[in-house]
Amino acid sequence: MFGKVLIANRGEIACRIMQACRELGLRTVAVFSEADRNSLHVQTADEAVCIGPPPNKESYLNVANIISACKVTRADAVHPGYGNLSEDPTFADACQECGITFVGPPAHVIARMGDKAEARRVVREAGIPVVPGSPGAVSDVRDARDIGAQLGYPVMLKAVSGGGGRGIRIAHNPAHLTQLFEQARSEARAAFGNGHLYVEKYLEQPRHVEVQVLADAHGQVVHLGERECSIQFRHQKVLEESPAPGVSSSLRRRMGEAAVKAAEAVGYVNAGTIEFLLDNRGRFYFIEMNTRIQVEHTVTEMVTGIDIVREQIKIAAGEKLSCEQGRIWFNGHAIECRLLAADGERGLLPSPGTITRWAVPCGPGVRVDTGVTAGSVVSSYYDPMIAKVVCWDRTRPEAITRMEATLRGMQVEGIKTTIPLHLRILRNAYFRSGRIDTHFIERRLGEEQPV
Ligand code: ADP
């Protein structure tokens, strides 16, 4: 096992990773930008190194400075968290070259799955259903229109290197596709440095259901069940839960087996997520693989009792998985609300500022992962997520009740938060009865509710 781990991230995930390190008896190094000097993740680490000015590009994405911080502090391993450098194969490579263990999959696997068209090809060849679409990236708008004609409209244009819901366009007919193609290409080029696009059939009312996998370097792969992530705003997740409402044990087993097969097909090592779209007839289709810890890993931890971050570190240290598939049990129901410093009534407009009051309830089945406290400054430089409120209980209705009570008991002042939005979701009759899909927020939240 390592002696010291550097956490190349900030906010709640940096604090979460440090907790796992402390439990394993490892020393921790935080890195921080000049805007984060007084942040919680800096205060909770054993050591901390400033890696640059506030903009992400100059600090949390600054590979040279992060590698230097590892060298200066003699860290043996780097945990990248999510976002930032977590899915950058050149960073994973740079760590390896400098003799620092990257807590994540091998660089070539990150690169392969980071190309979403290539990921679809590999997974399809392994016999797993993928959303019908172009065989690879399309070469130009004519190629895209040919695929559109084959699939039938509407179709989705997606960036090969996409993420975070950016670069996605829905085209309803050939003229519309032509109109959107250049827009999507330049958005993808600006956001990801790669303008290549692929085309997928647009599924009308799917659910987003994903499966967590763990794979060690000794060839063992297991799945930890599924997460329901259909509650989204502009293709970004807002609330997640596990298990997914209405998923039968046989569907869970089939999705789990498909996820394990996908991980095996790409030679996966460490924690990863296989994302599927699920239709209302129980058919599921691969959309992409995330080769890192996810924000919503918490709900899986609550229902399986497995500490996924701890497993990640142990896998990176060469240890075998501590759980076999047959010994993974699913217990109760967990829900996560992503608390953003944003105005839920105004399109999630960010609400930066100083948190003047921060008091969170605690009790059985309540977990709050956060990187802020009273006095913290929420900066507009970074993602507005300030905390994840996670509630577990024996059944879904009880977990909903516990979440409502927890959110009502939170005292947050100085910034706007998504607590009112989350309460509206939790109180919605469609949500409560599990009748959800990826359009829930835009179609169901505002409308008159059935009695
Ligand atoms: P990103 O990597 O940018 O998050 P994804 O491919 O994971 O993009 O898709 C994000 C979301 O967009 C999904 O959760 C789903 O709501 C929607 N989506 C993606 N592909 C399709 C599709 N083919 N049909 C309908 N909705 C889709």
Side-chain angles (χ1 to χ4, degrees):
M1 185 43 84
F2 322 111
K4 201 187 268 188
V5 178
L6 181 140
I7 295 101
N9 218 304
R10 63 182 301 283
E12 68 84 19
I13 195 63
C15 297
R16 163 71 188 89
I17 295 164
M18 282 186 235
Q19 170 69 11
C21 291
R22 280 191 299 272
E23 289 174 18
L24 287 165
L26 309 177
R27 292 183 62 77
T28 55
V29 183
V31 291
F32 62 96
S33 73
E34 284 159 13
D36 275 340
R37 195 169 291 281
N38 300 315
S39 294
L40 197 60
H41 81 279
V42 176
Q43 292 164 21
T44 37
D46 294 314
E47 293 167 64
V49 182
C50 183
I51 48 165
N56 250 327
K57 264 210 164 103
E58 295 173 52
S59 48
Y60 297 103
L61 295 177
N62 188 328
V63 172
N65 285 7
I66 293 173
I67 298 279
S68 305
C70 289
K71 288 287 165 204
V72 169
T73 57
R74 296 174 187 270
D76 313 296
V78 171
H79 195 308
Y82 52 70
N84 290 333
L85 294 170
S86 61
E87 291 179 290
D88 181 343
T90 57
F91 179 61
D93 249 343
C95 292
Q96 233 59 37
E97 271 172 29
C98 296
I100 305 155
T101 303
F102 177 78
V103 181
H108 70 273
V109 176
I110 301 178
R112 203 166 186 200
M113 295 294 101
D115 177 336
K116 293 171 73 172
E118 167 70 359
R120 281 166 49 85
R121 193 187 61 73
V122 178
V123 169
R124 190 179 53 236
E125 280 176 8
I128 294 150
V130 303
V131 180
S134 53
V138 289
S139 45
D140 54 24
V141 69
R142 276 182 53 191
D143 193 7
R145 283 175 67 145
D146 288 346
I147 302 283
Q150 282 166 32
L151 295 172
Y153 286 84
V155 297
M156 224 173 191
L157 281 172
K158 287 183 166 183
V160 160
S161 308
R166 280 176 302 171
I168 289 182
R169 295 284 189 286
I170 302 159
H172 294 278
N173 53 54
H176 194 208
L177 185 140
T178 307
Q179 192 191 329
L180 296 177
F181 194 85
E182 264 319 307
Q183 257 181 36
R185 187 148 70 175
S186 43
E187 184 175 319
R189 213 180 275 131
F192 314 111
N194 176 353
H196 286 115
L197 303 176
Y198 65 105
V199 182
E200 252 179 27
K201 175 82 185 158
Y202 178 67
L203 305 185
E204 294 285 350
Q205 282 182 312
R207 285 164 63 181
H208 175 125
V209 177
E210 59 186 30
V211 178
Q212 175 75 55
V213 296
L214 286 177
D216 65 21
H218 307 274
Q220 203 195 339
V221 187
V222 297
H223 74 83
L224 305 186
E226 83 286 3
R227 294 186 283 258
E228 169 77 62
C229 306
S230 299
I231 309 298
Q232 305 180 349
F233 181 75
R234 295 197 186 126
H235 306 302
Q236 294 214 46
K237 300 162 188 167
V238 171
L239 176 153
E240 302 95 340
E241 54 186 313
S242 185
V247 164
S248 65
S249 49
S250 100
L251 179 56
R252 173 168 307 115
R253 186 179 41 74
R254 282 187 290 123
M255 292 184 86
E257 284 170 4
V260 167
K261 210 162 144 190
E264 285 170 347
V266 300
Y268 202 74
V269 180
N270 216 284
T273 299
I274 312 289
E275 295 190 339
F276 295 108
L277 293 181
L278 177 66
D279 72 14
N280 54 14
R281 292 160 66 186
R283 291 176 302 197
F284 59 88
Y285 306 90
F286 170 85
I287 44 172
E288 66 162 339
M289 178 171 198
N290 288 135
T291 55
R292 53 169 164 83
I293 189 77
Q294 295 209 213
V295 172
E296 62 273 23
H297 73 278
T298 57
V299 290
T300 303
E301 292 184 328
M302 301 297 268
V303 295
T304 60
I306 294 169
D307 181 330
I308 298 172
V309 178
R310 189 200 290 168
E311 291 296 323
Q312 284 193 292
I313 297 169
K314 288 167 77 170
I315 291 168
E319 293 187 18
K320 289 190 168 164
L321 283 184
S322 60
C323 43
E324 302 163 20
Q325 192 69 62
R327 289 176 180 272
I328 296 168
W329 310 110
F330 303 101
N331 183 24
H333 198 97
I335 304 177
E336 171 183 277
C337 290
R338 298 187 183 201
L339 228 68
L340 310 187
D343 188 342
E345 306 305 316
R346 292 175 61 205
L348 294 186
L349 190 73
S351 169
T354 301
I355 300 176
T356 50
R357 182 166 167 73
W358 179 261
V360 296
C362 59
V366 178
R367 164 177 174 180
V368 180
D369 284 19
T370 187
V372 301
T373 185
S376 290
V377 177
V378 181
S379 152
S380 51
Y381 284 110
Y382 310 115
D383 187 280
M385 194 180 73
I386 50 169
K388 303 184 310 204
V389 181
V390 188
C391 287
W392 176 94
D393 212 326
R394 288 169 302 177
T395 63
R396 184 171 188 265
E398 288 170 306
I400 292 174
T401 303
R402 180 165 275 168
M403 180 61 87
E404 251 192 283
T406 304
L407 294 180
R408 278 194 290 112
M410 290 192 70
Q411 296 175 34
V412 186
E413 288 168 19
I415 52 160
K416 285 204 157 65
T417 75
T418 46
I419 291 175
L421 172 69
H422 281 115
L423 286 172
R424 280 175 59 209
I425 297 169
L426 294 164
R427 289 168 183 161
N428 181 281
Y430 286 99
F431 176 78
R432 293 177 89 93
S433 61
R435 284 175 292 164
I436 49 180
D437 60 48
T438 55
H439 303 290
F440 169 83
I441 289 193
E442 80 231 34
R443 292 199 188 145
R444 297 292 190 210
L445 207 50
E447 93 179 23
E448 190 101 352
Q449 294 195 16
V451 271

